[in-house]
Amino acid sequence: MRLFLGPWCVNLLGAALLLPLCGCISGTLAKEIRHQPLTDEALDRLVPGSATLEDCLSALGAPLQVEEHGEQTILIWGWRDVRGFRVAVSVPIGNNSARFTWAEEAKDLKGAVAILGPDQVLVLLRRGQLGEILPGKRRASQLIADD
Amino acid sequence: MNKILILLTVVLLPGCFISRSTVDRPLDAALVSALVPGETTADEVASLMGAPAEVVQLGRRTAWRYEYKVQKQAAAFLFVLGLRGMDTQSDRVWVFFDEEQKLTHVGSSFASSEASYALPTL
């Protein structure tokens, strides 16, 4: 008996062979957007020593977070717009399973931090990765998880 | 051709989802614009906008946060490859009060309508 495998059959056979792998190997291309980015133009308008709390709020909108730092007030804006790729492999070992993951993705938030003095005048404006520009030992991932 | 479409639909649909989730109630921009620094009190803000999501003590002053968050997700999985997109946007308002509980500053951003279901492209 001669078995003829047309293109349809080959595709179905390929799919059938791939199906058992679905639970073991997975690749995910992910895109994550959080909040709106601030523009350099808006940030450039704020000059330390002369810009006030009012100026910061009108130029940059509502911050993600407001904090007290001694006598200073800290306003924090943050956003994320990243694409990443992740591959995960699960292998059964005896009664357990091992999972290996390889990921290429950005983990930090971009953002800006405005530090205002007791007189509500801008003392310092930082921009960059929040994990690096936040005062103290704060971490950007905590900030975004809390927001 | 129809068979191909039906087969593709049957194969692909079980691996797709979209979801939309929200946190708190939508903020009314008209209410926010009715707040007048120097005049509106904390009691009036609370009666207009309800309880804030967060209160921050700033020395003798305070700042209140109101926020309405929208998160949209879309994903498609085909055998071993998945595409997943997540977009989180929010309407957010911070109101600042002096030590006499009078409104001094208002900062607002309205972006919840910007959230989308976009998938990443290869």
Side-chain angles (χ1 to χ4, degrees):
Chain A
M1 188 176 77
R2 184 176 177 186
L3 181 66
F4 174 73
L5 293 177
W8 264 93
C9 295
V10 173
N11 290 341
L12 281 176
L13 187 62
L17 289 173
L18 275 175
L19 275 175
L21 287 176
C22 292
C24 300
I25 302 174
S26 64
T28 306
L29 181 63
K31 179 174 82 168
E32 184 183 1
I33 298 172
R34 278 180 184 258
H35 308 301
Q36 295 289 310
L38 300 178
T39 63
D40 285 336
E41 186 184 33
L43 288 163
D44 290 342
R45 285 206 298 268
L46 300 172
V47 180
S50 62
T52 63
L53 172 60
E54 175 75 37
D55 297 329
C56 292
L57 295 173
S58 59
L60 308 179
L64 279 186
Q65 190 64 46
V66 175
E67 294 182 359
E68 183 185 30
H69 198 260
E71 291 188 339
Q72 296 178 320
T73 301
I74 299 176
L75 310 181
I76 304 165
W77 291 264
W79 64 92
R80 176 179 283 160
D81 185 354
V82 296
R83 284 166 49 116
F85 191 70
R86 174 184 292 264
V87 176
V89 180
S90 297
V91 182
I93 300 175
N95 291 329
N96 302 307
S97 70
R99 182 178 175 85
F100 306 96
T101 302
W102 174 83
E104 184 180 296
E105 54 195 13
K107 291 181 178 172
D108 209 354
L109 276 180
K110 291 180 182 174
V113 175
I115 300 175
L116 296 107
D119 52 357
Q120 304 292 295
V121 174
L122 183 65
V123 174
L124 186 63
L125 180 66
R126 296 174 178 164
R127 63 185 90 178
Q129 301 293 324
L130 274 188
E132 297 169 4
I133 63 175
L134 279 173
K137 295 180 178 177
R138 300 277 319 263
R139 291 181 58 186
S141 55
Q142 290 173 332
L143 176 74
I144 200 71
D146 292 344
D147 76 353
Chain B
M1 187 63 184
N2 285 340
K3 288 180 181 175
I4 295 174
L5 282 176
I6 291 169
L7 184 66
L8 280 175
T9 305
V10 169
V11 169
L12 294 177
L13 266 186
C16 301
F17 79 83
I18 59 169
S19 74
R20 178 181 184 274
S21 60
T22 61
V23 177
D24 287 336
R25 292 182 302 169
L27 301 178
D28 187 342
L31 280 183
V32 176
S33 61
L35 305 177
V36 183
E39 291 183 13
T40 309
T41 64
D43 285 345
E44 291 169 335
V45 172
S47 63
L48 275 172
M49 300 182 62
E54 183 184 9
V55 175
V56 178
Q57 194 74 36
L58 303 168
R60 293 183 176 181
R61 300 173 295 116
T62 53
W64 297 3
R65 174 173 62 88
Y66 291 90
E67 188 160 17
Y68 168 63
K69 194 186 296 183
V70 175
Q71 185 176 76
K72 291 182 177 177
Q73 288 190 72
F77 298 98
L78 179 60
F79 302 117
V80 296
L81 179 65
L83 300 173
R84 184 171 180 178
M86 184 169 73
D87 192 353
T88 306
Q89 300 292 340
S90 62
D91 296 339
R92 193 167 48 252
V93 176
W94 278 94
V95 286
F96 294 78
F97 299 101
D98 63 17
E99 54 198 69
E100 294 171 353
Q101 296 298 293
K102 190 156 278 190
L103 183 69
T104 59
H105 299 86
V106 180
S108 60
S109 298
F110 292 89
S112 65
S113 60
E114 304 284 324
S116 69
Y117 291 106
L119 282 173
T121 51
L122 289 171

